[in-house]
Amino acid sequence: MTFATATPSAERTLAESELKWGNSFARLGPDFYTELQPTPLPSPYWVGRSHALARELGLEDQWLESDYALALLTGNQLAAGSRPLASVYSGHQFGVWAGQLGDGRAILLGDIATNAGPREIQLKGAGRTSYSRMGDGRAVLRSSIREFLCSEAMQGLGIPTTRALCVTGSDAAVRREEFETAAVVTRTAPSFIRFGHFEHFSYSNQHAQLKTLADHVIDRFYPACRDAKQPYAALLEAVSERTAHLMAAWQAVGFCHGVMNTDNMSILGLTIDYGPFQFLDAFDPGHICNHSDSEGRYAYNKQPNMAYWNLFCLAQALLPLMDNQEQALAALESYKTVFPEALHARMCAKLGLLDAQPEDAALIESTFRLLASNKVDYTIFWRRLCSFTPQSGHEPLRDLFFDGESFNAWALQYSERLTPVDSGLRADLMLKSNPKFVLRNHLGEEAIRAAKLKDFSAVNTLLTLLQAPFDEHPGHEHFAAFPPDWATSIEISCSS
Ligand code: AMP
Ligand code: MG
C-alpha cells in the first residue's frame, strides 16, 4: 500500500487558505436577492490582471496565475462556501423613474476578509439573472477592458472607486450593434449597494426591508451614524459628504462618468459602473461623453448638480425612516458646502497653492475660463503647469494657447499669487496633484483593438502606467501625448 505523501498542490492550498467566503449581503434575506449560478464562460483566457489589487486582497501572485483562479474568477467553478446571488434594485434613469432593475449581469460571489476589511467579489458579465430583463447577462471585451483599466486608474489617482481584479475573455460571440466577444470583469468593493437599492424598497412599500438595508449599511460602513440622534438622517448626511468629495475629485481630474443614474450611484461614494466615461481631452465644460445622452443631462459641468439630484432621490427613499421631511432636507445641506470646499482644495493643490485661501476662487475661475476659451488639453495643461515659474518664459505652456494675450494676463495673475509660495514645495504638490497619465478614450481604444487580436500587451502597459499616473515613466511619452485627430470620432454609448 502506498501513502499519498505529497502535500496538496500549491493551487489547492492557496485556494483553500486564501478564499474563505463570507456573505454578509446574503444575510439580509431573500427579499434582497436571488441565489443563482453563474453561466460558464466558454474556454476563458486572461486578458488583464491587477496584481496590485490581488496583493491587497491577500492573494499571492502565484494564485492569480493559476487555472483554478481563472475558473473561479470567470464563474466557471465555485469555491466552497460561496453563495452566488444577484441583488435587486431600482432607479431613476435619465431623470425618469425606471422601476425595478437589479443586477442584470452582475453576480456577487460573496465577500472575503482582507487587511482592509471585508471585500465583496462580483462577476460582471457572468450570465443572465432574474433581473436581466431583455439582456443577455453578458459584457463585451471592449467595455470590460475599459472598466478594468479605469477602475485601477481611478485608484491610482486616489479617487474612490470599485476595483477590478481581472478581465477574462472568451471567443463566445455576443450580439451588440455588431457581433463582439464576451468577457467577465471581476470587481471588488466593500459593498456594491447603490442609491437604487434604497429606492427599490422604499417605492415598493417594503419599509421593514428598507430599515434592514439602512441598518446594514450603517453598521458595516458608517458606524458613527449609529450614535447620532437620528441615525438615518446622519447616514444621508454622511453619504452626501462622501458624494460631494467624489464629485470634487471627478471635476478636478476632468472625469465624465456618462451615466449618473441613481442605480449607478454607490452608497459608499465610490465611482461605480464604468460605461461611456471619458477623461476630458480639450477642456469643454459642456462636454457630453455618452453618445446616448442626447440632452446632455450628464455633461461634465452638470455632474455636481446631478449628484445632488440623485442624493435628493436617496433622501426621498429614506423618508419613511425619518421623523419628517425637514430632517431629510437638512441632511442634504452638507453637500452644498462640502462640494465647493472640496473642489476648491483640489484646484488649489493643482495650482500649487500650499496656503489655499478663499480669495483663490477668482484665480481658479479665470483658469477654467482661459482653458475653455482656448480649448486647451486639460491633462497636459496641468502637467506642464508643474514646471511654471514666474521668472521663466512659460514656453511649453504658452504653446497650448492660441490667444497669447489672455494667457499672458493669466500668467501675470498666477505669478503674483505665487510670490509667497515656496517653489520646491509647490512643484512637489503639483506633481502629486496633476497626473501625467489618464485613460484617454483613444488609449483605451488602441488597447482594445490589439486585445481583439489577442495581443494584451497594451492593456498591461496601460495598467502599469495608470496605476502610478503621477510618475514620469520615461519612454512612455506616447501615452501622455495629445490625442490623435481620430480620437474625436470615437463614439461611446451605453452599449456594453
Ligand atoms: P447600466 O446602464 O450598465 O448601469 O445598466 C442598467 C441596467 O441594465 C442594470 O440593471 C443592468 O444590470 C442591466 N443591463 C445592462 N446590460 C445588460 C445585459 N447585457 N444583460 C442584462 N442586463 C443588463
Ligand atoms: Mg449600472
Side-chain angles (χ1 to χ4, degrees):
M1 189 176 170
T2 53
F3 289 94
T5 49
T7 49
S9 75
E11 281 181 14
R12 182 141 294 279
T13 313
L14 286 168
E16 284 169 355
S17 62
E18 304 290 357
L19 290 173
K20 298 251 187 304
W21 292 97
N23 207 323
S24 71
F25 192 88
R27 284 202 297 277
L28 290 175
D31 292 337
F32 292 82
Y33 55 82
T34 307
E35 295 201 43
L36 78 180
Q37 304 293 312
T39 309
L41 185 69
S43 311
Y45 44 82
W46 296 112
V47 173
R49 280 166 278 190
S50 171
H51 288 278
L53 174 57
R55 270 172 235 131
E56 286 176 41
L57 296 174
L59 302 169
E60 289 168 30
D61 285 356
Q62 189 193 353
W63 185 85
L64 200 56
E65 302 295 330
S66 67
D67 289 344
Y68 175 78
L70 179 63
L72 195 83
L73 300 176
T74 47
N76 288 12
Q77 186 174 336
L78 283 183
S82 139
R83 280 173 64 186
L85 61 85
S87 76
V88 62
Y89 56 79
S90 295
H92 282 85
Q93 297 188 315
F94 290 91
V96 179
W97 176 242
Q100 182 181 308
L101 301 163
D103 291 326
R105 53 172 170 171
I107 295 179
L108 182 68
L109 293 179
D111 50 68
I112 58 170
T114 77
N115 289 338
R119 289 290 178 272
E120 292 187 343
I121 300 198
Q122 194 188 60
L123 307 178
K124 182 168 177 180
R128 287 182 56 80
T129 74
S130 334
Y131 314 109
S132 298
R133 296 171 292 153
M134 306 298 281
D136 57 9
R138 288 296 185 194
V140 296
L141 181 66
R142 155 180 62 85
S143 62
S144 303
I145 289 175
R146 280 170 55 84
E147 170 144 13
F148 171 68
L149 288 177
C150 201
S151 307
E152 294 308 281
M154 290 301 243
Q155 173 71 18
L157 291 164
I159 299 178
T161 179
T162 61
R163 302 287 302 275
L165 180 58
C166 60
V167 190
T168 49
S170 163
D171 292 342
V174 174
R175 191 183 187 143
R176 294 292 180 263
E177 279 81 7
E178 52 193 44
F179 279 104
E180 302 189 44
T181 58
V184 169
V185 191
T186 306
R187 319 197 276 195
T188 79
S191 169
F192 288 94
I193 295 175
R194 300 137 192 276
F195 290 10
H197 281 96
F198 289 86
E199 291 179 288
H200 179 76
F201 294 102
S202 190
Y203 294 128
S204 57
N205 286 317
Q206 300 182 71
H207 294 170
Q209 290 86 337
L210 178 68
K211 183 172 178 307
T212 302
L213 182 66
D215 287 336
H216 169 82
V217 169
I218 289 174
D219 292 342
R220 283 179 76 85
F221 308 111
Y222 293 93
C225 296
R226 187 54 71 206
D227 305 324
K229 217 158 95 204
Q230 221 293 355
Y232 307 109
L235 173 64
L236 180 59
E237 185 168 344
V239 176
S240 300
E241 288 180 13
R242 283 210 200 172
T243 307
H245 281 288
L246 182 67
M247 290 307 117
W250 285 5
Q251 297 307 109
V253 79
F255 176 78
C256 310
H257 181 280
V259 206
M260 290 174 65
N261 294 332
T262 56
D263 53 301
N264 289 340
M265 295 292 292
S266 151
I267 202 71
L268 302 185
L270 308 173
T271 314
I272 190 170
D273 279 15
Y274 291 88
F277 69 83
Q278 187 180 0
F279 287 86
L280 294 175
D281 290 321
F283 186 66
D284 169 11
H287 183 71
I288 304 162
C289 66
N290 180 353
H291 197 64
S292 319
D293 182 10
S294 49
E295 306 280 304
R297 178 179 174 85
Y298 299 131
Y300 166 74
N301 58 2
K302 295 210 179 134
Q303 297 189 126
N305 281 348
M306 286 299 115
Y308 183 77
W309 194 94
N310 290 337
L311 285 162
F312 196 89
C313 290
L314 178 65
Q316 256 177 327
L318 287 170
L319 274 182
L321 306 182
M322 304 252 188
D323 300 336
N324 52 54
Q325 198 172 314
E326 286 65 43
Q327 201 168 50
L329 288 172
L332 290 175
E333 278 302 296
S334 59
Y335 184 85
K336 297 180 191 162
T337 48
V338 175
F339 168 70
E341 280 168 15
L343 182 61
H344 185 82
R346 282 184 178 267
M347 296 315 297
C348 285
K350 286 174 84 70
L351 285 161
L353 308 180
L354 301 153
D355 55 341
Q357 304 292 331
E359 303 80 64
D360 292 325
L363 176 63
I364 295 169
E365 200 38 56
S366 69
T367 310
F368 278 132
R369 264 201 312 276
L370 183 75
L371 294 180
S373 62
N374 282 262
K375 299 188 170 42
V376 176
D377 187 277
Y378 192 69
T379 305
I380 292 178
F381 167 78
W382 289 106
R383 193 69 183 185
R384 287 195 188 176
L385 192 66
C386 301
S387 321
F388 182 97
T389 55
Q391 301 76 24
S392 74
H394 323 307
E395 240 40 78
L397 190 63
R398 190 201 303 270
D399 290 348
L400 301 173
F401 296 83
F402 52 78
D403 175 1
E405 271 180 39
S406 309
F407 172 77
N408 289 343
W410 176 86
L412 196 64
Q413 184 191 4
Y414 183 44
S415 298
E416 278 168 13
R417 176 61 183 85
L418 291 185
T419 313
V421 183
D422 179 278
S423 56
L425 293 177
R426 169 169 62 85
D428 275 357
L429 174 63
M430 291 176 81
L431 288 167
K432 281 189 231 137
S433 310
N434 296 304
K436 181 167 178 179
F437 300 94
V438 293
L439 180 56
R440 296 182 191 257
N441 265 351
H442 76 277
L443 296 175
E445 198 63 25
E446 284 171 350
I448 290 163
R449 281 183 198 167
K452 284 182 176 171
L453 303 172
K454 302 246 167 70
D455 171 1
F456 307 121
S457 55
V459 171
N460 288 309
T461 306
L462 270 177
L463 179 66
T464 306
L465 299 176
L466 296 169
Q467 284 178 331
F470 299 101
D471 293 354
E472 286 298 328
H473 298 286
H476 290 91
E477 303 309 320
H478 159 73
F479 296 91
F482 290 101
D485 289 343
W486 60 265
T488 50
S489 64
I490 300 172
E491 290 177 356
I492 313 269
S493 69
C494 283
S495 158
S496 58

